[in-house]
Amino acid sequence: MFNLSLTACSFHLRKTNSRGNTKIFNLNMSLTLQKEDGTECYFQDLSEIFVQFFKTHESLVKDDNKQQSFRCEYNEDNILENDDFRMFYTRIYSGVYGSSSDIIDGNTQKVKYKKKSSDIDTRPFYLMVVFPKDSERVVVQKGLFIFQNVGQFGVKTITTTLMQEFFSNGFHITLKCNTISSDLFVKKIIRQDNIKKLVMVKNIKSSDTSDNVRKGYGSEIREIGNLYFTEKMWSRMMDIIRYVAGGRYNLFEFEQIEYDNLKVVVDIGGRTRKINLHNLENLSIIEAIPDEIKMADGHPNLKMLIEHFTKVATEYLEEMVLHIG
């Protein structure tokens, strides 16, 4: 049976084709936006533009290039609120098509159904959109997406791609997704029990300056696997990893040699992921959902999932910088 997991990232909205941080929208502000056809839409806050996206995509959408389907199921009651944030959720149905296959009984091995290339193997997923509340200290510009996955299947890419098209084409708004915080990403993704390899890169420059134009002269790559750490060694390694991740130009020193780039190879739910610690800006956090939330059919118990995502949102928001401009 597939394991459940979540994918989380921050998001913000800015005016399309704007530069710098002058055209980033405050999420909780009321505003009037002009659509492509010249009509105006009033929003009490920008959560309503997401609701409009969900309602617009209640009918099936098919991406024939990626051979993936998408539709939303949203209810006005799908909203939760506490002192720190509002969280609203939608159920997304998505699946793949384009190739035929046989559906067999796992016990008898007999064919129960012959799937045609036009048939869509559809699964339900949940998306939680979190809007932090303004406070005396901060006007909120960044929110939080939490996607629920089933095994290797998820809907983050197709959902955010369709959102970007909808916001841009309809309202001249650009949706940007980023990591929540580099330190939280490191803490959640890189652990002593799942780190498999270090990949260190040292840029080699020629003494002849003409060799160093554009892409430079070359690089030396060193890999170390079969890693073992004592608790003390791991604490020291995590300090180093956090330091490297904290700045694009922070060097990694190993055996008295300074390396320009450090990548770590980790195992996440049986899947290998190579992470460039100097480029965490656009990476999402992926972590397991507790087994007790999974029902007999392999999908989550909604009430328990909401409770878990509320807890996760509270933890993640403590690490987020909520204002950009």
Side-chain angles (χ1 to χ4, degrees), residues 243-294:
Y243 167 74
V244 173
R248 186 175 293 273
Y249 302 105
N250 290 349
L251 301 178
F252 173 67
E253 184 175 333
F254 184 79
E255 294 182 343
Q256 298 181 326
I257 300 175
E258 289 187 335
Y259 292 89
D260 301 275
N261 189 276
L262 175 63
K263 301 176 183 179
V264 294
V265 178
V266 297
D267 181 280
I268 301 177
R271 300 175 66 186
T272 299
R273 185 176 185 185
K274 182 184 285 189
I275 299 165
N276 184 345
L277 292 175
H278 293 272
N279 187 24
L280 301 181
E281 182 179 349
N282 298 317
L283 299 183
S284 301
I285 292 174
I286 302 174
E287 65 171 302
I289 291 173
D291 288 340
E292 58 268 24
I293 294 176
K294 183 172 59 179

Side-chain angles (χ1 to χ4, degrees), residues 31-49:
L31 75 167
T32 300
L33 296 174
Q34 189 173 61
K35 299 182 70 174
E36 191 70 28
D37 61 6
T39 60
E40 292 185 339
C41 291
Y42 173 77
F43 298 101
Q44 288 188 327
D45 60 61
L46 284 173
S47 67
E48 293 185 354
I49 198 172

Side-chain angles (χ1 to χ4, degrees), residues 147-278:
F147 293 88
Q148 169 251 318
N149 313 311
V150 181
Q152 62 180 324
F153 302 102
V155 291
K156 175 181 178 288
T157 299
I158 189 171
T159 304
T160 54
T161 298
L162 290 172
M163 281 183 177
Q164 287 163 349
E165 293 174 358
F166 179 78
F167 295 162
S168 178
N169 295 338
F171 302 99
H172 304 292
I173 288 178
T174 297
L175 170 70
K176 292 286 188 179
C177 296
N178 299 101
T179 194
I180 295 168
S181 84
S182 60
D183 195 61
L184 181 64
F185 180 91
V186 168
K187 182 171 67 174
K188 289 292 183 180
I189 298 297
I190 304 173
R191 306 188 309 275
Q192 185 176 350
D193 63 346
N194 78 340
I195 189 167
K196 301 301 179 185
K197 188 184 296 184
L198 299 179
V199 180
M200 300 168 287
V201 181
K202 182 175 180 62
N203 295 328
I204 307 298
K205 294 185 178 181
S206 171
S207 57
D208 185 346
T209 55
S210 63
D211 289 332
N212 297 320
V213 178
R214 296 182 182 176
K215 292 186 178 181
Y217 193 67
S219 62
E220 172 190 333
I221 300 176
R222 182 177 179 185
E223 296 187 4
I224 301 177
N226 299 318
L227 301 172
Y228 170 78
F229 299 96
T230 64
E231 290 298 327
K232 185 175 181 180
M233 292 168 58
W234 178 247
S235 177
R236 171 62 178 156
M237 176 56 68
M238 282 301 292
D239 288 341
I240 294 172
I241 287 174
R242 286 193 175 97
Y243 167 74
V244 173
R248 186 175 293 273
Y249 302 105
N250 290 349
L251 301 178
F252 173 67
E253 184 175 333
F254 184 79
E255 294 182 343
Q256 298 181 326
I257 300 175
E258 289 187 335
Y259 292 89
D260 301 275
N261 189 276
L262 175 63
K263 301 176 183 179
V264 294
V265 178
V266 297
D267 181 280
I268 301 177
R271 300 175 66 186
T272 299
R273 185 176 185 185
K274 182 184 285 189
I275 299 165
N276 184 345
L277 292 175
H278 293 272

Side-chain angles (χ1 to χ4, degrees), residues 84-176:
D84 300 315
F85 57 83
R86 286 178 297 117
M87 182 168 73
F88 51 99
Y89 64 92
T90 185
R91 181 187 285 115
I92 294 172
Y93 291 92
S94 182
V96 295
Y97 58 94
S99 62
S100 61
S101 63
D102 291 339
I103 308 299
I104 66 171
D105 187 304
N107 296 318
T108 66
Q109 299 184 39
K110 292 183 177 180
V111 176
K112 299 185 69 174
Y113 177 74
K114 289 186 175 293
K115 177 180 174 291
K116 297 180 293 185
S117 61
S118 59
D119 291 336
I120 303 175
D121 181 13
T122 301
R123 289 179 172 84
F125 303 86
Y126 287 99
L127 163 62
M128 311 289 179
V129 184
V130 182
F131 267 58
K133 294 183 177 180
D134 292 345
S135 67
E136 294 181 357
R137 296 182 296 105
V138 63
V139 175
V140 171
Q141 293 179 327
K142 291 172 69 175
L144 183 65
F145 288 143
I146 307 179
F147 293 88
Q148 169 251 318
N149 313 311
V150 181
Q152 62 180 324
F153 302 102
V155 291
K156 175 181 178 288
T157 299
I158 189 171
T159 304
T160 54
T161 298
L162 290 172
M163 281 183 177
Q164 287 163 349
E165 293 174 358
F166 179 78
F167 295 162
S168 178
N169 295 338
F171 302 99
H172 304 292
I173 288 178
T174 297
L175 170 70
K176 292 286 188 179

